[in-house]
Amino acid sequence: MFDVGRRITDIRTSQGISLTNLAKRSGIAQSSLSYIESGKAQPTVETVHKICAALGITLAEFFADHAQEEELPADIKRMIAIARRLTPRQRKLLLEVMEEWLNQTGM
């Protein structure tokens, strides 16, 4: 069964976001988030949507099968989480820098 609270915790911690920070970003009380993450409360779809927006992901991404992503090292998952929050222009610039680094190392 899909564990909503566990999924929120996993995404939040992989992005390096504290419970307090997520509460501020989402407009949801920290105590409510704590109950959701611990499985003591089940959030509404609207609440999950607010949490997803605060985490910079869509509902589809939240509920998608992340088996492949789970195999990634923690630092790569953090990079992906950060990249999701960048503007399209910022992502383009970051990609250019990364490609330049690879070109310099001959990869």
Side-chain angles (χ1 to χ4, degrees):
M1 183 189 322
F2 189 83
D3 186 338
V4 173
R6 183 75 205 147
R7 180 83 172 119
I8 294 167
T9 303
D10 289 346
I11 295 170
R12 178 179 62 75
T13 57
S14 76
Q15 292 187 13
I17 299 171
S18 70
L19 194 62
T20 302
N21 193 327
L22 182 58
K24 288 177 186 175
R25 288 182 185 187
S26 65
I28 298 168
Q30 183 175 336
S31 59
S32 296
L33 285 173
S34 180
Y35 278 120
I36 291 167
E37 286 191 357
S38 67
K40 294 177 183 172
Q42 290 301 313
T44 64
V45 173
E46 181 181 344
T47 297
V48 175
H49 186 267
K50 287 179 183 179
I51 293 167
C52 287
L55 293 171
I57 62 171
T58 65
L59 280 170
E61 290 170 319
F62 181 82
F63 289 105
D65 180 16
H66 287 272
Q68 279 185 323
E69 191 173 311
E70 294 299 323
E71 297 171 11
L72 296 174
D75 60 338
I76 300 293
K77 286 195 265 186
R78 179 138 168 76
M79 284 186 242
I80 292 168
I82 291 169
R84 285 182 173 144
R85 296 171 54 201
L86 299 175
T87 66
R89 176 156 167 59
Q90 290 171 322
R91 286 193 304 266
K92 181 180 181 223
L93 291 171
L94 179 59
L95 185 56
E96 289 172 3
V97 169
M98 294 171 73
E99 288 172 342
E100 182 60 30
W101 285 338
L102 287 177
N103 290 336
Q104 288 177 3
T105 61
M107 296 179 119

